[in-house]
Amino acid sequence: MLNGDRMIIKCKNKLSILATDQMEKFPVLPLRTGVLFPGAMFTIQVGRQENLKLIEYCRSKKKEFIATYAPPKENDPESYSIHQVGVVAVIRDVKHGSGNSEIVTIEGLKRIAIVEVVKMEPYIIATANYLQLQKLVPKSIKTQIDGVMSTVREITSLDPTYSPEHLYILKMNQNNPELMVDMTASSFHFPLSAKQEMLETIDLRLRFKILLNYLNAELNQVATLHNINVNVQKTLEEEQQKHFLRQQLYEIRKLLGEDFTEEKEAARLRNAIKNSPHLPSEVAARALIEADRLAQLSTASAEYGVTKNYLEWILALPWGKSKPEDYQISEVEKILSSGYYGPGNLKEQILQRLSVRKLLGGANEIPTLCLIGAPGTGKAAIAKTIAKALGKDFIRISVGGISEAAELKGTSRTFLGAMPGKIIRALREVGSCDPVMLIEDIDYFNIDNDSSVNMALLEAIDSRRNSQFLDNYIGVPFDLSKVVFVCSVRSYEELPEQFLPRFEIIELPGYIEKEKIVITKRYIIPKLLKRHGISKSELKFTNKTLSRIINHYTMEAGLLGLSQQLEKICRKVALEKVSKKKKKWSINEKNLETYLGQPVYIPEKAETSPEIGIAAGLAWTGAGGDLMFIEGLKMKGEGQIITTGSLGEVMKESIQAAHSYVRSKADVLGIDSNDFNEFDIHIHFPSGAIPKDGPSAGVTVCLVIASVMAERPIRNDIAVTGEVTLRGKVLPVGGIKEKVSAAYRAGIYNVAMPKENKKDIKELPKEILRKTKITFLERVDELFELCLLDFTPSSFTLEKIFAEEIEKAKKKIGKGSKKKSKKTKTKLLK
């Protein structure tokens, strides 16, 4: 509907108004589906109440009205605007339509321009002026008329939807170019905007020019469709001829008594389809149709090989072939504990998932499991252990380098060399529809970040949708809901964004040295000895040897590099065994370099004595925990902070916060406040080639700045970690297990960490906990007293001590207060 401020779409061209004493008022009928031209008839269905009232009025009173094109608005299809230029029309016929509608035939008479809408009810009424048409017909119009006739002749000859009568009508109106151009514009399938453009064009030559442009465009389209139809018809005729000849050949071979190989093959496949117990009914029906087609094809045709290959794929897939979910959770727990050495909470999460699967009878209704961890942290071992615990087959596929959805979902059979996608091929190889499938290298998947490729993989592994997984080659849905999908990736940041809502993420922490030794002796060494043909009695490793390999030949959170170093030793031992040089080998610290060469890495060690401006910080990297010595130096300057060592933005901000806090505590630390304006401070993080970032070095930097400015040495037997705020609070950090282990490995048995990390030390081995003294910090002030030598407790620290002592005294008074006299209570409080 039109709103109160009806909008009239003004004509772009300058209109020539017919001179008259006064403007006439006309009812206005908006046309939504067409444009009416003078001299043309137009049949419409009228259903709106206001338009029905207009029709009834004009019909009964035999009144003329304006018919104008009213296109709907894009944002609101119910509302519309009316074009300024329309046609004065009369009603020629009215019939009853469906519902309360009327079928109305109207005829256009003259062009007219609407000036203003003056009334809304009961229908639109507007004032309008007739348009002044061109009186003299240009002599050059004859050429344009011939062009129109020629183009219309070609269109009607190519497109059967256009009646040849169009050309006959145009010939009859050659002497009236105005009527001819309007009739042509009305008869052909032009866009409504194009028809309105021709209606608004008064200049006859320009109108013919516009008409010819649209006729030529229509001719191009009709010619293209005609060529397509001709080619299709030719192809159909060729196929019919081939079918006829093939049928004749069949009858001839039948009379000659020849053997029909294709018929026998089709019969074999047909019997296999009917006798397949697991094949779904819709798949069997599709396969039988293809088998019938195969019987009609020649063995020499390419289509025969494609169809046969497709049927063999259908029969080879494990439709509904699954193993019973009869496992016991207690047995699963034992297998997980024996097959994987790692955190107990991780195993508990896996047991919870498997319990849900058992209760649902083998269906997966929970998010897909995604394991995040550095190479060698046991992602594949967990997946194998899950498969072993469930009694399922195990598949390990890599999606690294895949950049097209067809590699996952297959290609259509119409393409040369078509085949199913990677997932369907893997299921055919394993022969069951409920294996444990480990999908690796997602961090190398879809490097171009094409969302369609991500969605193709998600369609397979997402439990919400994979019950109807459609491979393009197979062409029928395959149920993947019973497959136990396990995905693996190196880090959280490398996961595609589309996967995050549908993944249950479990992060695998790196192993500390003691754990690596246990796993190596329990799993890696026996496997390597068997792989290299060496018995356990022939080759032995000591714990010290393994420790030296871990610290001097590898730098990683996992066990991949350690396994590779042990493989080198096994290969050299295998060579010596074949050469019969020795019968037994014992690898120790003395002869290790004979097998592995010079050490690759030199681990950090504790400083031998306390020094000013150097503190031992603890870092958590992709290779596990590491000891990081932070150095500081003051020099004459203007109070600037200089930082070096490939530091990230977060770490630089942490240094600035630490500097501000130490500066605010200058009087407590015995530092002249003017020193911060007269001296520059240089903070350096060694190993400058390695990028560093994160806030966990905040307290260490505080300690270094305080030491430098107060000129007090820092203890060399303690390592610290924690984030610091501007108010001096110590906030929790991550990687506590790896950091404390790094300190222990470097010979530092005193560690200071945030108090909120107290819960994280439970994961540490008992040996480390027994030997390491851990101090928990709430404020940086406590760290100054703990680590700075020759440091007198500040007033803040003394106040805290007094407050604690008063609280203890109050608790003592509270215990058995009835038995104690008032004098005793006063004494205790003092």
Side-chain angles (χ1 to χ4, degrees):
M1 291 293 294
L2 285 168
N3 297 324
D5 56 342
R6 288 180 177 78
M7 190 179 78
I8 298 174
I9 303 174
K10 298 292 184 180
C11 177
K12 296 178 181 178
N13 303 325
K14 184 177 180 181
L15 298 176
S16 177
I17 304 297
L18 190 65
T20 180
D21 293 337
Q22 60 180 5
M23 291 183 291
E24 296 187 48
K25 293 182 181 179
F26 292 91
V28 179
L29 177 65
L31 301 178
R32 305 290 292 275
T33 58
V35 177
L36 182 64
F37 283 86
M41 305 281 281
F42 193 45
T43 301
I44 56 173
Q45 184 174 10
V46 180
R48 294 179 180 271
Q49 290 299 317
E50 63 269 23
N51 294 339
L52 288 171
K53 291 176 182 179
L54 183 151
I55 296 297
E56 180 62 29
Y57 169 76
C58 293
R59 182 187 181 190
S60 61
K61 301 292 184 179
K62 295 184 179 179
K63 291 285 185 179
E64 296 177 347
F65 59 92
I66 297 175
T68 182
Y69 176 47
K73 294 183 179 179
E74 293 182 2
N75 53 355
D76 185 9
E78 290 298 319
S79 62
Y80 56 84
S81 303
I82 58 175
H83 275 277
Q84 181 184 13
V85 177
V87 175
V88 175
V90 293
I91 297 172
R92 294 304 183 195
D93 186 34
V94 178
K95 294 180 181 179
H96 291 294
S98 59
N100 296 323
S101 66
E102 301 282 350
I103 306 299
V104 184
T105 301
I106 58 178
E107 181 181 1
L109 301 178
K110 297 179 179 179
R111 284 176 169 79
I112 195 166
I114 297 172
V115 177
E116 183 184 6
V117 175
V118 296
K119 197 173 180 181
M120 286 284 292
E121 301 292 342
Y123 41 78
I124 304 171
I125 297 176
T127 58
N129 284 327
Y130 286 101
L131 296 178
Q132 176 72 48
L133 300 179
Q134 193 171 347
K135 293 181 179 180
L136 298 176
V137 178
K139 295 181 180 180
S140 59
I141 205 75
K142 182 67 170 61
T143 306
Q144 292 179 308
I145 291 174
D146 293 340
V148 169
M149 294 288 291
S150 174
T151 308
V152 170
R153 187 180 293 108
E154 289 186 56
I155 292 174
T156 53
S157 65
L158 293 175
D159 190 349
T161 59
Y162 289 113
S163 172
E165 291 183 4
H166 286 312
L167 187 61
Y168 178 71
I169 294 170
L170 295 183
K171 287 180 180 179
M172 289 178 62
N173 295 299
Q174 281 187 19
N175 296 328
N176 188 350
E178 284 276 355
L179 182 60
M180 179 185 178
V181 70
D182 287 346
M183 293 295 290
T184 307
S186 175
S187 302
F188 280 82
H189 308 322
F190 299 143
L192 296 180
S193 59
K195 291 187 176 186
Q196 181 65 31
E197 182 186 358
M198 285 185 273
L199 182 66
E200 293 176 354
T201 305
I202 305 302
D203 184 87
L204 196 57
R205 281 184 297 182
L206 182 58
R207 205 185 318 166
F208 264 100
K209 183 179 179 181
I210 295 171
L211 176 63
L212 272 170
N213 288 338
Y214 285 112
L215 282 174
N216 287 326
E218 182 71 9
L219 177 60
N220 290 336
Q221 184 177 352
V222 168
T224 303
L225 291 173
H226 177 73
N227 291 335
I228 293 172
N229 291 333
V230 168
N231 292 335
V232 170
Q233 185 64 31
K234 185 178 179 182
T235 304
L236 289 174
E237 290 174 358
E238 289 177 354
E239 289 297 324
Q240 289 176 351
Q241 184 181 13
K242 288 179 182 178
H243 177 72
F244 178 74
L245 294 173
R246 197 177 291 117
Q247 197 65 29
Q248 282 186 324
L249 180 62
Y250 172 80
E251 293 297 332
I252 293 170
R253 291 175 63 187
K254 188 176 178 181
L255 291 173
L256 292 173
E258 291 185 3
D259 188 16
F260 294 95
T261 305
E262 58 271 22
E263 278 290 336
K264 289 184 178 180
E265 188 64 23
R268 181 186 69 81
L269 292 170
R270 201 178 290 113
N271 290 333
I273 294 166
K274 291 178 179 179
N275 296 328
S276 180
H278 300 287
L279 210 60
S281 56
E282 63 274 14
V283 178
R286 172 74 177 270
L288 287 172
I289 293 172
E290 294 294 331
D292 292 338
R293 286 186 66 249
L294 187 70
Q296 305 298 323
L297 297 173
S298 169
T299 54
S301 69
E303 193 176 355
Y304 178 87
V306 171
T307 306
K308 182 183 175 185
N309 192 38
Y310 172 74
L311 289 171
E312 287 175 348
W313 265 103
I314 290 287
L315 291 170
L317 288 178
W319 303 93
K321 293 180 182 177
S322 60
K323 296 181 179 179
E325 305 286 331
D326 56 358
Y327 49 86
Q328 299 297 322
I329 292 297
S330 57
E331 290 297 319
V332 172
E333 187 175 5
K334 289 180 182 177
I335 295 172
L336 283 174
S337 298
S338 62
Y340 174 72
Y341 186 89
N345 60 342
L346 187 149
K347 297 174 187 176
E348 186 178 350
Q349 282 182 271
I350 294 172
L351 285 173
Q352 291 168 1
R353 293 176 60 89
L354 298 182
S355 300
V356 173
R357 179 183 174 88
K358 184 174 177 65
L359 292 174
L360 294 177
N364 285 321
E365 298 293 338
I366 51 181
T368 305
L369 179 63
C370 179
L371 304 175
I372 296 181
T377 49
K379 300 185 290 293
I382 291 174
K384 285 180 182 177
T385 307
I386 292 173
K388 184 180 178 182
L390 298 180
K392 309 285 186 185
D393 296 304
F394 177 70
I395 311 174
R396 188 172 182 175
I397 66 173
S398 171
V399 294
I402 289 180
S403 57
E404 295 182 4
E407 296 183 56
L408 294 169
K409 296 191 65 178
T411 49
S412 176
R413 285 191 294 147
T414 55
F415 290 97
L416 184 65
M419 62 189 306
K422 203 161 194 173
I423 293 173
I424 293 294
R425 296 202 305 269
L427 291 177
R428 179 188 180 181
E429 291 174 8
V430 79
S432 65
C433 70
D434 63 341
V436 175
M437 185 177 292
L438 175 63
I439 300 178
E440 297 182 295
D441 302 325
I442 292 183
D443 35 357
Y444 298 110
F445 169 70
N446 189 17
I447 302 299
D448 298 331
N449 199 25
D450 184 353
S451 58
S452 64
V453 184
N454 289 339
M455 295 309 296
L457 179 58
L458 195 60
E459 186 180 338
I461 65 179
D462 188 355
S463 57
R464 299 175 301 173
R465 295 182 277 180
N466 60 7
S467 60
Q468 293 290 315
F469 177 71
L470 185 64
D471 186 277
N472 295 327
Y473 180 84
I474 302 301
V476 288
F478 190 92
D479 187 4
L480 296 178
S481 62
K482 291 190 175 182
V483 179
V484 182
F485 287 104
V486 180
C487 299
S488 72
V489 67
R490 292 183 304 173
S491 65
Y492 183 87
E493 291 76 16
E494 293 173 345
L495 271 176
E497 184 181 351
Q498 292 93 333
F499 294 170
L500 296 178
R502 297 308 306 161
F503 275 175
E504 180 182 348
I505 294 172
I506 297 179
E507 293 197 37
L508 304 184
Y511 295 114
I512 61 175
E513 181 183 326
K514 185 176 177 61
E515 291 173 335
K516 288 183 179 181
I517 292 173
V518 172
I519 296 170
T520 302
K521 296 182 76 174
R522 187 181 297 180
Y523 302 104
I524 297 177
I525 290 178
K527 183 175 69 176
L528 291 178
L529 293 179
K530 185 178 179 181
R531 189 186 296 172
H532 291 83
I534 303 169
S535 65
K536 292 182 181 179
S537 60
E538 291 177 328
L539 178 59
K540 293 188 180 296
F541 295 89
T542 63
N543 285 358
K544 289 185 177 181
T545 305
L546 295 175
S547 177
R548 185 168 180 78
I549 296 173
I550 291 167
N551 293 322
H552 291 81
Y553 292 90
T554 65
M555 183 180 286
E556 57 179 352
L559 296 159
L560 190 62
L562 176 59
S563 179
Q564 292 172 351
Q565 296 298 328
L566 293 173
E567 276 193 79
K568 290 181 183 179
I569 295 173
C570 288
R571 286 196 295 270
K572 289 191 176 183
V573 169
L575 177 60
E576 292 177 0
K577 183 178 179 180
V578 172
S579 304
K580 297 182 179 180
K581 294 181 180 179
K582 293 172 68 176
K583 292 184 178 180
K584 290 187 178 182
W585 292 263
S586 177
I587 310 300
N588 51 47
E589 293 179 275
K590 294 180 179 179
N591 61 8
L592 182 61
E593 292 186 13
T594 307
Y595 294 92
L596 296 180
Q598 293 292 326
V600 182
Y601 304 103
I602 301 174
E604 295 281 1
K605 291 294 180 183
E607 294 291 326
T608 55
S609 61
E611 291 184 37
I612 295 174
I614 182 165
L618 295 171
W620 184 27
T621 67
D626 196 12
L627 196 66
M628 180 169 59
F629 289 100
I630 300 174
E631 300 171 351
L633 189 68
K634 76 172 182 179
M635 50 200 167
K636 283 286 185 180
E638 299 175 353
Q640 295 182 354
I641 304 174
I642 303 166
T643 59
T644 52
S646 299
L647 309 184
E649 288 300 319
V650 176
M651 186 167 277
K652 288 179 181 179
E653 291 174 3
S654 181
I655 293 171
Q656 187 63 54
H659 177 264
S660 299
Y661 181 74
V662 173
R663 187 171 183 175
S664 71
K665 294 292 180 180
D667 55 340
V668 177
L669 293 165
I671 304 171
D672 186 351
S673 58
N674 293 325
D675 287 355
F676 285 97
N677 297 322
E678 297 173 358
F679 289 94
D680 290 343
I681 302 173
H682 186 167
I683 303 296
H684 176 65
F685 289 72
S687 302
I690 302 173
K692 308 169 190 71
D693 206 358
S696 63
V699 292
T700 317
V701 174
C702 267
L703 191 60
V704 171
I705 294 174
S707 170
V708 167
M709 297 305 293
E711 296 184 353
R712 293 191 179 97
I714 301 171
R715 286 172 54 185
N716 63 312
D717 62 343
I718 188 167
V720 295
T721 184
E723 180 180 356
V724 68
T725 69
L726 276 176
R727 294 179 294 167
K729 289 186 177 182
V730 181
L731 301 182
V733 292
I736 290 298
K737 185 179 84 168
E738 290 81 2
K739 290 178 177 179
V740 176
S741 300
Y744 178 84
R745 187 170 62 244
I748 297 177
Y749 304 116
N750 292 286
V751 176
M753 68 176 67
K755 188 175 182 179
E756 292 185 37
N757 285 118
K758 192 172 183 178
K759 61 183 183 300
D760 299 323
I761 65 171
K762 295 177 183 178
E763 300 176 7
L764 287 165
K766 293 180 181 178
E767 180 185 340
I768 295 177
L769 283 174
R770 188 168 55 250
K771 201 169 181 180
T772 303
K773 181 182 178 182
I774 299 176
T775 304
F776 297 103
L777 307 172
E778 290 186 48
R779 297 186 60 84
V780 181
D781 306 67
E782 302 167 21
L783 185 67
F784 296 152
E785 185 180 348
L786 178 68
C787 299
L788 290 178
L789 299 181
D790 306 325
F791 179 70
T792 304
S794 65
S795 58
F796 169 82
T797 311
L798 291 173
E799 286 174 8
K800 184 178 178 183
I801 293 170
F802 294 153
E804 290 175 355
E805 291 299 325
I806 290 169
E807 286 298 321
K808 289 178 184 178
K810 285 181 178 179
K811 287 179 181 178
K812 287 181 181 179
I813 292 170
K815 293 179 181 179
S817 58
K818 292 181 180 179
K819 298 179 182 179
K820 294 176 182 175
S821 65
K822 188 176 180 180
K823 187 177 181 181
T824 309
K825 292 180 182 178
T826 306
K827 185 179 179 182
L828 281 170
L829 188 57
K830 286 182 179 179

